[in-house]
Structures are given as structure tokens and as C-alpha cells.
Amino acid sequence: MKFANYKYVGKNINNLGDHVQIITVDYLYSLMGLSEEDIVIIDKDDLQAYDGEQVLLPVSMPLIDYKESGIAGMFSSKITPVFFGLTMAKDELLSEEIEYLKAHEPIGCRDERTYNTLVQSDIDAYLGGCLTITLPKREANSGKQNKVFIIDPTVGLNDFIPAELTKEAVFDTHMFYEKLDNPKQKAKDRYKQYEDEAKLVITSLLHCSVPCIAMGIPVILAKDIVSYRFAWLEALLKIYTPEEYSDINWNPIAVEYEQYKEQVRTLFIKRMYEQDATTEINTVHEFYMNRNRKDYIIDAFIGLQKFIDETWVDYNKEYRYAIWGLTQMADMTVSYISKRYPNAKLMHAYDLQEGLKFKGIKTQHPDNIATYPDETVFVTTVSAASYAKQYFIKINRPEHLFKTLDIIV
């Protein structure tokens, strides 16, 4: 059986953090001595339709696309997934998902929320964090590594960053709201720049902070709110929140964890060769579980939840609503509404792929939304958010009758 890796080009949004996860699998494969001929590249959007030779595919990127059978419907029968960093916003599993995950145990989970969801269904799981933590440490060169990079900082942090750091700092972003010709190469170039030039990185991003930690770069990670997605990282790096911004150490040292990093690499290699990795799994799991904990939130859903709570004040009213974009957020939105608003009714589901089934309703093209002016529309995919806002303005949709998913970082 051959080994596989993803390729991925976002249509409307490209986050360099997505692509460094693909680059990391390339790196780990190189440690296994694999050549390009040994690796089958599969488009992330074509996992279900893949019909090539049998492959083992390490799963470390989020699986947010909607399938009627959930995770159980995401991979073709020609793909054997090896789960290293499964992460889900939802906390309920379909029966077929439970069966599928049990067939591919043990399941490495990116975050403790996902781990708890699986354990509650008696699935053999462990907290594995993110594979990007395995990237190699750079060679120190104080003459060239003298720049401060400030990457997508939180709004609340800006007033606290010392002037001597911002004066000559490089301000940049990992988020590109456009289709890029080669986002993987752009990611390679950017992380290479950090490796060669950074003396300090200040960021709010998971996949800016983690690869930089791995490379041996001092990192300051600050979040206005801490997502469950970041929780595992507290075992390695302090995550500053607003009440701590005034106490930030602006001259941190690099995190040293090479011995632990080797455990994660060995875990990956053993599992990809279908060997027993129990010792490494236990070591990694305990390392991440034994950490100081902050209060975590489900950041992806918080905007939709707040809108529903503040707009739908009558819990017994027969609200009529629709979903635009089939993702885990669509599932979570319907689940949240059904528990709190017993008389609310899902009327329509919209997606660029027409004819899909969601909660027994066939999807229509979003252009049909204007036909139903009195329904509240929840846009539950980030890729449609920008277009949706313009579309609602065009059709004069009142603001209390739509909400788009906020982009999270």
C-alpha cells in the first residue's frame, strides 16, 4: 500500500496555516525515506471520489465539509485514513461515524474537546495535538535572525506592544481572501522567511505559533479569547489573554522540547508503518493532558449563537429559517436551534452543489434565497460569507434575517 498526502487550493480563502500542515507531512515522509514516487497526492476536495491505488493517508487537517454520513462518508474505500489530529466543532457523532472511527482506532485528536467526544462513544482515542510541532529546529544565526514579525495580532494587543518592537517590525498576515496559484509554495516561502530572519514572532494564529516554536523561534501568542482548538498548546507555550497583556514578557526565550518532538515523530512513523505505537501515544497524550488550563470557547459558533440568542427572543415562536453552506457549522446551528426553539422549522438548504441531502432537504442554489424573503438565513461556511453579505444587500434583506459565519484564526 502506498502513502498519500493532500493538495489543496482554497477557492475564496487561503490560510497559510492549512498548507504548512501538508508541508509537515511531506517532512515526516522524508524522515521515513520515502521518495515522491512513493506518495500519491489527492486533492482535499476529492477524497470521497478518489479511485486510484490503495493508500494510507495521515489525517491532520480539519474535516469540516458536510457529508450525509459525516466522517464515515468523507473518504473513498481506496483510502485508509490514519488519524493524527482529528478536530471537530460538533460534539455529537452519528452511529456510522462511531463505527467508522472504531474501525480506524486509535484516533489521534487535535484538541481535548474532540477527544472527549470520541471517548464518550467508547472510541479508542488520544490527545495528539498538531503534527506541525515536529518541524525541525533551525540553525542559530544571530546576524541574520534579527527581525520581529507581527502576524495577525489581536486588536486588543496592539496598544501593549512596545514601540521599540513595532518600529521596525514586519507586519503581515496568513489569510489571503483570494485564490492563489500555488498556496503551498507561498507557505513554504513564508515559513522559510521566519526560519531565516525571525528573532521574535508575535501572533494570534495557531499555525503561525506552532511551526515557529518547532523551528526554535521565540513566540508570543496572544488571544482575546482562547478557542478549544488551542487548548493542547498550553502544555508548551503560555497563551496570553487580555487581562495578562500588560504582563507579557516581550523578550521570551525559545521553547526547548526536542526530546518530546522525537516522540511525536516516532509515533507518526510507527503508525504509518502500522506498528504498535502505544508507548509513544501514552507519552504524548499525558504530556498534553497534564497542563494548566484556561477557559475555552467554541469560537467558530459563537457569532451565530449570539445572533440567534439576541434576535430570536421568543422561544415558542414558529421561526422559519434556512442554511447556506453544508459544513459542521450547519449541523451545529440546526442542533442548537432544535434544542432551544421547539417550533422553529428548517425550510431550505442552499449550496453551490445542488441536490445534496441535508436533514432530509435537497439543497438549492443560493440564488433561490430571494424567493423566500421572510426566512432567516444562516450562512455556515466561511468561503461564502463575503459574497453572501453583498448578495443580501442586493436583495435588500434586513439584517435581522441573516447572519454570516465569522472567520476564525
Side-chain angles (χ1 to χ4, degrees), residues 3-14:
F3 301 94
N5 198 3
Y6 299 108
K7 67 176 179 180
Y8 171 66
V9 178
K11 297 178 179 64
N12 300 307
I13 299 175
N14 276 280

Side-chain angles (χ1 to χ4, degrees), residues 98-113:
I98 295 172
E99 181 181 355
Y100 188 81
L101 290 169
K102 279 182 171 293
H104 296 286
E105 295 172 333
I107 308 299
C109 302
R110 168 83 59 80
D111 59 89
E112 194 170 350
R113 174 183 169 84

Side-chain angles (χ1 to χ4, degrees), residues 48 69 94 110 128 211 316 329 352 365 384 393 397:
Q48 187 182 44
S69 300
L94 302 171
R110 168 83 59 80
N316 295 311
M329 287 299 106
L352 292 180
H365 193 280
I393 292 172
R397 197 72 154 215

Side-chain angles (χ1 to χ4, degrees), residues 168-179:
E168 296 182 358
V170 177
F171 287 82
D172 217 325
T173 181
H174 277 199
M175 306 297 294
F176 294 85
Y177 300 96
E178 59 192 280
K179 184 175 181 179

